[in-house]
């Protein structure tokens, strides 16, 4: 291996094994765009402040643009034995433009450089994920708009509980994704400060202007304290946590899609595009896609825990342990972007089996609570007594082998004479669903209101 550009104290060549453990180029080459972008901004600032000459700046700027094109076109493969992306780009620049290239690293360290590159990557991908979340919310709204009157058994403990409508269920997921979106946006804002110019840990005696680089790179301002900045990986932890939480929501939706695709439910049919066959059982159509989304949630959680564990015992400032920060984030980001795109397509193309959902509402006496509520509201019976009377009615329905909504007024009277004939209409599942008119409730009217509110929120979000 050639003598490294940054090994003043190291006279011997590093061993192959050391290189294998030490070099991050095989994975941090993904940051070449951010690295070049950061170096261009840094060089610009150095020249603006008279720290390097205009001529050197021109050479650096042109050289970096050329290197960018070389990487993009596959001419510069970033597969050498450079330690990392920063060394690879700087080495290439110096090969191209000579001494001017060696001036680029003035008032900078790889510690602030990596903090910058990685933060730029996280910020960009935070925006991409946030935009995909908006698309998913809009698709869920579309499905909701078509299903505000589609009855569905609402469940607790995976047992039939009360009738709701399918739009309401979809809007529950839209609400989760809205929170996820807001979490990504707030992380973006919190971390939108520039690390460059912090140098190794303590700043620099060169008369730099960090505001120039911050502004050029799209940050709000430079970070406050350099010691913190080169030690900080909160931005990476935040994107990992945000992805984990979002994937947990996606996993719950996937779980429901898997259940709903089973013969026992058949509430939805996934399009053939999003299902696979079995290699031995010709009749099978398996929900592999939601299963994979559910499975990938485990993987992104692992990435979050791994980085939390890497960071927990580190003294300030930079330690090489921190090189372990990148692969997990790259993996979680890739997983999140792909998963969101797949989910969006799958939800958009699934068939909602309205009849199956409707029919399932006739199992489990879903409107029993309505009878108890009626006895309280209209007859003045204390809730606990009403609860027991309703229990007796449910037992009768069970004995007769019918749903509570199918009992006649005579049946109801035989349990308690105070039950009025107007109750029969209330026990209808649709009436039960529509009776839940409290704010945030499932009635079609309230569900439509939720959809409207979500649409106007969606319209107020600018897509970057
Ligand atoms: N490859 C390193 C990383 O990813 C870059 C920073 C190296 N800094 C240093 N002082 N060795 O963390």
């Amino acid at each position: 291996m050639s003598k490294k550009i940054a090994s003043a104290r190291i006279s011997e060549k590093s061993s192959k094994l050391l290189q294998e453990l030490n070099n991050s180029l095989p994975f941090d080459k993904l940051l070449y765009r951010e690295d070049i972008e950061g170096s261009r901004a840094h060089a610009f600032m150095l020249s603006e402040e008279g720290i390097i000459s205009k001529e050197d700046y021109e050479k650096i700027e042109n050289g970096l643009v050329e290197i960018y094109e070389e990487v993009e076109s596959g001419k510069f493969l970033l597969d050498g034995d450079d330690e990392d992306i920063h060394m690879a780009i700087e080495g290439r620049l110096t090969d191209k433009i000579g001494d001017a290239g060696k001036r680029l690293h003035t008032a900078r360290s790889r510690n602030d450089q990596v903090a910058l590159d990685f933060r730029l990557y996280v910020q960009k991908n935070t925006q991409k994920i946030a935009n995909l979340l908006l698309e998913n919310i809009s698709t869920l709204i579309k499905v909701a708009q078509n299903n505000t009157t589609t009855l569905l058994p609402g469940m607790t403990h995976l047992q039939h509980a009360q009738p709701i409508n399918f739009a309401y269920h979809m809007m529950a997921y839209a609400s989760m994704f809205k929170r996820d979106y807001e979490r990504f946006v707030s992380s973006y804002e919190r971390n939108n400060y520039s690390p460059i110019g912090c140098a190794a840990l303590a700043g620099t005696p060169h008369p730099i202007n960090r505001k120039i680089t911050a502004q050029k790179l799209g940050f709000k301002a430079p970070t406050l304290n350099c010691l913190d900045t080169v030690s900080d990986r909160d931005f990476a932890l935040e994107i990992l946590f945000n992805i984990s939480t979002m994937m947990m929501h996606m996993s719950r939706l996937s779980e429901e899609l898997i259940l709903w695709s089973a013969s026992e439910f058949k509430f939805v049919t996934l399009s053939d595009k999003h299902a696979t066959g079995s290699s031995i059982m010709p009749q099978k159509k398996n929900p592999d896609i939601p299963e994979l989304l559910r499975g990938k949630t485990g993987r992104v959680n692992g990435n979050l825990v791994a980085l939390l564990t890497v960071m927990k015992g580190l003294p300030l400032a930079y330690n090489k342990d921190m090189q372990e920060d990148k692969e997990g984030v790259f993996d979680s980001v890739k997983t999140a972007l792909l998963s969101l795109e797949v989910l969006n397509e799958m939800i958009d193309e699934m068939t909602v089996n309205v009849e199956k959902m409707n029919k399932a509402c006739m199992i489990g006496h879903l409107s029993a609570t309505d009878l108890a509520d009626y006895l309280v509201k209209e007859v003045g019976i204390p809730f606990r007594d009403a609860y027991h009377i309703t229990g007796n009615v449910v037992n009768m329905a069970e004995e007769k082998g019918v749903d509570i909504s199918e009992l006649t007024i005579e049946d109801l009277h035989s349990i308690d004479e105070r039950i009025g004939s107007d109750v029969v209409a209330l026990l209808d599942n649709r009436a039960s669903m529509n009776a839940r008119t409290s704010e945030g409730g499932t009635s079609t009217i309230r569900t439509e209101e939720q959809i409207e509110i979500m649409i106007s929120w969606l319209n107020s979000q600018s897509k970057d």
Side-chain angles (χ1 to χ4, degrees), residues 45-69:
M45 182 279 293
L46 291 177
S47 107
E48 285 293 292
E49 299 305 299
I51 300 169
I52 59 169
S53 69
K54 293 281 172 225
E55 298 80 67
D56 281 347
Y57 168 62
E58 294 292 321
K59 285 186 196 158
I60 292 172
E61 165 67 10
N62 294 337
L64 286 170
V65 170
E66 267 178 43
I67 295 173
Y68 180 79
E69 281 155 11

Side-chain angles (χ1 to χ4, degrees), residues 2-275:
S2 57
K3 186 153 165 42
K4 295 183 204 157
I5 52 175
S7 306
R9 287 229 27 230
I10 316 290
S11 49
E12 273 190 72
K13 285 183 189 173
S14 35
S15 82
K16 274 280 161 213
L17 276 177
L18 176 138
Q19 285 181 37
E20 202 173 326
L21 182 69
N22 193 41
N23 291 9
S24 53
L25 185 63
F27 52 87
D28 69 14
K29 63 181 175 192
L30 199 78
L31 296 175
Y32 73 89
R33 285 189 200 87
E34 291 75 16
D35 196 75
I36 292 173
E37 202 185 335
S39 286
R40 289 177 66 188
H42 182 66
F44 174 78
M45 182 279 293
L46 291 177
S47 107
E48 285 293 292
E49 299 305 299
I51 300 169
I52 59 169
S53 69
K54 293 281 172 225
E55 298 80 67
D56 281 347
Y57 168 62
E58 294 292 321
K59 285 186 196 158
I60 292 172
E61 165 67 10
N62 294 337
L64 286 170
V65 170
E66 267 178 43
I67 295 173
Y68 180 79
E69 281 155 11
E70 283 173 11
V71 181
E72 291 276 295
S73 65
K75 199 170 146 210
F76 180 26
L77 286 176
L78 294 169
D79 60 353
D81 54 11
D82 303 278
E83 199 178 310
D84 54 31
I85 184 64
H86 324 297
M87 293 300 199
I89 305 269
E90 192 189 324
R92 182 73 161 192
L93 185 67
T94 307
D95 287 349
K96 274 178 170 300
I97 64 168
D99 277 356
K102 295 188 197 160
R103 296 193 195 280
L104 171 62
H105 212 54
T106 312
R108 181 175 84 168
S109 148
R110 273 187 300 159
N111 297 351
D112 58 340
Q113 198 179 354
V114 72
L116 169 67
D117 295 1
F118 197 26
R119 194 181 291 225
L120 284 173
Y121 169 90
V122 165
Q123 293 292 80
K124 277 184 207 167
N125 284 287
T126 295
Q127 283 180 327
K128 280 193 199 165
I129 295 173
N131 288 340
L132 279 173
L133 275 165
L134 292 183
E135 279 180 35
N136 273 271
I137 293 171
S138 134
T139 302
L140 287 166
I141 289 176
K142 204 170 91 186
V143 177
Q145 282 173 318
N146 293 331
N147 288 287
T148 53
T149 58
T150 305
L151 281 177
L152 169 82
M155 304 202 189
T156 63
H157 311 268
L158 201 61
Q159 304 290 320
H160 287 202
Q162 289 176 350
I164 58 173
N165 67 70
F166 191 59
Y168 188 62
H169 205 111
M170 291 295 99
M171 291 309 290
Y173 282 105
S175 304
M176 293 177 223
F177 286 152
K178 174 175 179 279
R179 285 198 297 280
D180 292 332
Y181 171 85
E182 288 166 343
R183 218 174 275 117
F184 280 102
V185 169
S186 88
S187 290
Y188 183 93
E189 295 300 328
R190 187 166 30 263
N191 294 307
N192 203 22
Y193 295 91
S194 172
I196 195 71
C198 277
L201 71 159
T204 170
H206 294 285
I208 59 168
N209 183 342
R210 293 184 62 208
K211 291 190 181 63
I212 294 182
T213 32
Q215 204 214 1
K216 210 157 174 60
L217 293 165
F219 291 110
K220 202 146 101 192
T223 54
L224 181 68
N225 175 293
C226 289
L227 182 61
D228 169 47
T229 303
V230 290
S231 314
D232 171 31
R233 290 295 179 271
D234 292 1
F235 60 96
L237 287 165
E238 283 193 35
I239 198 171
L240 288 174
F241 173 77
N242 294 344
I243 289 174
S244 280
T245 305
M246 176 202 85
M247 290 292 293
M248 175 271 288
H249 292 147
M250 196 188 293
S251 183
R252 295 181 76 171
L253 176 52
S254 297
E255 167 66 10
E256 301 213 283
L257 292 173
I258 293 161
L259 279 173
W260 291 341
S261 308
S263 317
E264 286 73 12
F265 289 84
K266 279 277 170 266
F267 288 178
V268 298
T269 309
L270 297 180
S271 94
D272 280 358
K273 276 196 212 160
H274 304 109

Side-chain angles (χ1 to χ4, degrees), residues 231 233-242 244 300-314 321-322 324-326 328-329:
S231 314
R233 290 295 179 271
D234 292 1
F235 60 96
L237 287 165
E238 283 193 35
I239 198 171
L240 288 174
F241 173 77
N242 294 344
S244 280
V300 299
N301 288 351
N303 291 333
L304 169 63
V305 175
L307 187 56
L308 281 170
T309 312
V310 166
M311 297 304 294
K312 70 174 267 298
L314 297 186
D321 315 44
M322 288 157 75
E324 287 297 306
D325 59 1
K326 280 174 267 317
V329 171

